[in-house]
Amino acid sequence: MELKEAQEKFISAWGAIGTHWGINRTMAQIHALLLISNNALSTEDIMSQLNISRGNVNMNVRELMSWGIVHKVLKFGERKEFFTAEKDIYKTAIQILKERRKRELIPILNLLGELQSENIQESGGEHFKKVVGDIHQFGESTNKMLEKMVKADEHWFTGSLMKFLVKK
Amino acid sequence: MELKEAQEKFISAWGAIGTHWGINRTMAQIHALLLISNNALSTEDIMSQLNISRGNVNMNVRELMSWGIVHKVLKFGERKEFFTAEKDIYKTAIQILKERRKRELIPILNLLGELQSENIQESGGEHFKKVVGDIHQFGESTNKMLEKMVKADEHWFTGSLMKFLVKK
DNA sequence: AAAAACTTTCATTTTTTTTTGAAAGTTTTA
DNA sequence: TAAAACTTTCAAAAAAAAATGAAAGTTTTT
């Protein structure tokens, strides 16, 4: 297999995974392209390699930067901006967990907390409160677990957590 | 707040979360509705409560059943089918992890394995193989971790794993 | 201060995903 | 075995999401 073919397979698969996790295909493909690129790429590099428009690249690259997994790189003597992806996959994973915790878990925990503290007397209210309470508790546990993982250094995964989970 | 209002907020929030995780809004809302319903619901109950068509209910309920988090219930003396969601949130979470592992993680691990074993000589190939290799290794670790979690009983989360992660 | 080199925005178009609902299919009842 | 009660399918419509590209905006150079 040629390098180019292998790269295309990888980019395509990464894009497909993204769609399964609520990430748009192009954003995931740009991430994949930057991961496998040795050097930082310009907007035009990305446009031509993925065959997409300037506006599309701009939007998705900025989204990737807002997730903290792609960074702007300025090269001496060059006016244009280049982009590079964090290459340490553990750091990337933790960064994504961190952001999803902030953007998704915390808000739902707040809602669940509010719903739980409502004074609902109607019939059926008990079952509702039980379900909400259970999910809230589960969410809080997940939240604590993520806090722990995110605070640890990037070696938590291969370190003691993995030893605990896999070997024991 | 009235029960109905609280329920609507919950269903709506559950639907929104779904979309962030690659699950269609309606499927997540049906799941939410079944979670907070004390009794199993018929297709028509779901249609009227969520204001959606018969075909839509049928499709999404079957999808939820394929994930193993919603079950068909037959009532004595009734011809129609009723549906109920697994109410244990830990079991539900594990079931989802199990399915996603099978449907998404395993296939990508297979691809990464293939790409890794390719004999690529071209320049740039080394960086590509390093990235693919790193992700493959990360995926294998995740896979092992999930295997462990899924094999354990439903109390892993509050049990020793949580003690390990949160308290230590 | 004008031109050049670049980035960002966003109304419009395109693509993709989701929903509808009527017809076809199936099972149960009379 | 015919009708009734129900479930499933799927082509078409609708809705939602993503992509385009040209114009506007910004920064740097001359």
Side-chain angles (χ1 to χ4, degrees):
Chain A
M1 200 187 295
E2 289 193 1
L3 177 59
K4 205 179 169 194
E5 190 188 344
Q7 289 177 326
E8 277 167 10
K9 279 192 181 177
F10 177 76
I11 289 170
S12 168
W14 210 240
I17 286 183
T19 60
H20 280 133
W21 289 84
I23 288 147
N24 99 44
R25 178 182 268 88
T26 300
M27 181 172 148
Q29 287 184 344
I30 293 175
H31 184 229
L33 175 63
L34 293 177
L35 273 177
I36 63 179
S37 297
N38 232 324
N39 316 306
L41 300 184
S42 68
T43 296
E44 302 215 339
D45 293 335
I46 299 169
M47 284 168 69
S48 68
Q49 294 216 45
L50 298 180
N51 232 288
I52 57 179
S53 72
R54 186 176 300 282
N56 200 1
V57 171
N58 187 270
M59 219 183 112
N60 283 297
V61 163
R62 278 187 305 128
E63 185 70 7
L64 284 164
M65 288 193 292
S66 87
W67 280 87
I69 59 178
V70 160
H71 305 284
K72 199 176 273 188
V73 172
L74 295 175
K75 293 192 183 174
F76 294 113
E78 293 255 26
R79 269 180 70 177
K80 60 180 134 190
E81 300 173 334
F82 293 80
F83 305 98
T84 191
E86 167 61 57
K87 295 302 193 306
D88 184 326
I89 193 72
Y90 298 102
K91 280 190 190 167
T92 302
I94 287 172
Q95 185 60 32
I96 291 170
L97 288 179
K98 211 171 178 170
E99 282 293 321
R100 296 201 93 141
R101 183 175 95 93
K102 191 172 74 190
R103 298 178 185 202
E104 297 160 24
L105 184 56
I106 302 293
I108 188 81
L109 286 179
N110 290 341
L111 176 72
L112 292 170
E114 280 168 36
L115 292 180
Q116 251 192 310
S117 65
E118 284 292 332
N119 193 339
I120 294 167
Q121 301 296 352
E122 297 151 82
S123 87
E126 270 185 44
H127 175 74
F128 178 73
K129 289 198 116 183
K130 164 98 169 75
V131 169
V132 168
D134 284 355
I135 295 174
H136 191 222
Q137 204 176 321
F138 180 78
E140 290 287 8
S141 296
T142 305
N143 189 26
K144 277 181 195 158
M145 184 178 83
L146 289 176
E147 251 175 2
K148 184 88 181 177
M149 282 160 70
V150 160
K151 276 179 188 156
D153 72 54
E154 72 264 34
H155 298 302
W156 64 268
F157 200 83
T158 37
S160 50
L161 176 68
M162 276 309 295
K163 281 188 190 108
F164 180 80
L165 284 168
V166 181
K167 309 246 173 77
K168 201 177 166 184
Chain B
M1 201 188 292
E2 289 193 1
L3 177 59
K4 205 180 168 192
E5 191 189 343
Q7 289 177 325
E8 276 166 10
K9 279 192 182 176
F10 177 76
I11 289 170
S12 169
W14 211 241
I17 285 183
T19 60
H20 279 133
W21 288 83
I23 288 147
N24 100 44
R25 180 182 267 90
T26 300
M27 181 170 149
Q29 287 184 344
I30 292 175
H31 184 230
L33 175 63
L34 294 176
L35 273 177
I36 62 179
S37 298
N38 231 325
N39 316 306
L41 301 184
S42 68
T43 296
E44 302 215 337
D45 293 335
I46 299 170
M47 284 169 68
S48 68
Q49 294 216 47
L50 298 181
N51 233 288
I52 56 178
S53 73
R54 186 175 300 282
N56 201 0
V57 171
N58 187 270
M59 217 183 114
N60 282 297
V61 162
R62 277 186 306 128
E63 185 70 6
L64 284 164
M65 288 192 293
S66 88
W67 280 87
I69 59 179
V70 160
H71 305 284
K72 198 175 274 187
V73 172
L74 295 174
K75 292 192 183 174
F76 295 113
E78 293 254 29
R79 269 179 69 176
K80 60 180 132 189
E81 299 173 336
F82 292 80
F83 305 97
T84 191
E86 167 61 57
K87 296 300 193 308
D88 183 325
I89 194 72
Y90 297 103
K91 280 190 190 166
T92 302
I94 286 171
Q95 185 60 31
I96 291 169
L97 288 179
K98 210 172 177 170
E99 282 294 322
R100 295 201 95 141
R101 183 175 95 92
K102 192 173 74 190
R103 299 178 185 202
E104 297 159 23
L105 184 56
I106 303 292
I108 188 79
L109 285 180
N110 290 342
L111 176 72
L112 292 170
E114 281 167 36
L115 292 180
Q116 252 192 310
S117 64
E118 285 292 332
N119 193 338
I120 293 167
Q121 302 294 352
E122 297 151 82
S123 87
E126 270 185 45
H127 175 75
F128 178 74
K129 289 197 118 184
K130 164 100 168 74
V131 169
V132 168
D134 284 356
I135 295 174
H136 192 223
Q137 204 175 323
F138 179 78
E140 290 287 8
S141 296
T142 305
N143 190 25
K144 277 179 194 159
M145 184 177 83
L146 290 176
E147 250 175 5
K148 185 90 180 177
M149 283 160 71
V150 160
K151 276 180 187 157
D153 73 56
E154 71 265 33
H155 299 303
W156 63 266
F157 200 84
T158 37
S160 51
L161 177 67
M162 275 311 293
K163 281 189 191 106
F164 180 79
L165 284 169
V166 181
K167 310 246 172 77
K168 199 177 166 184

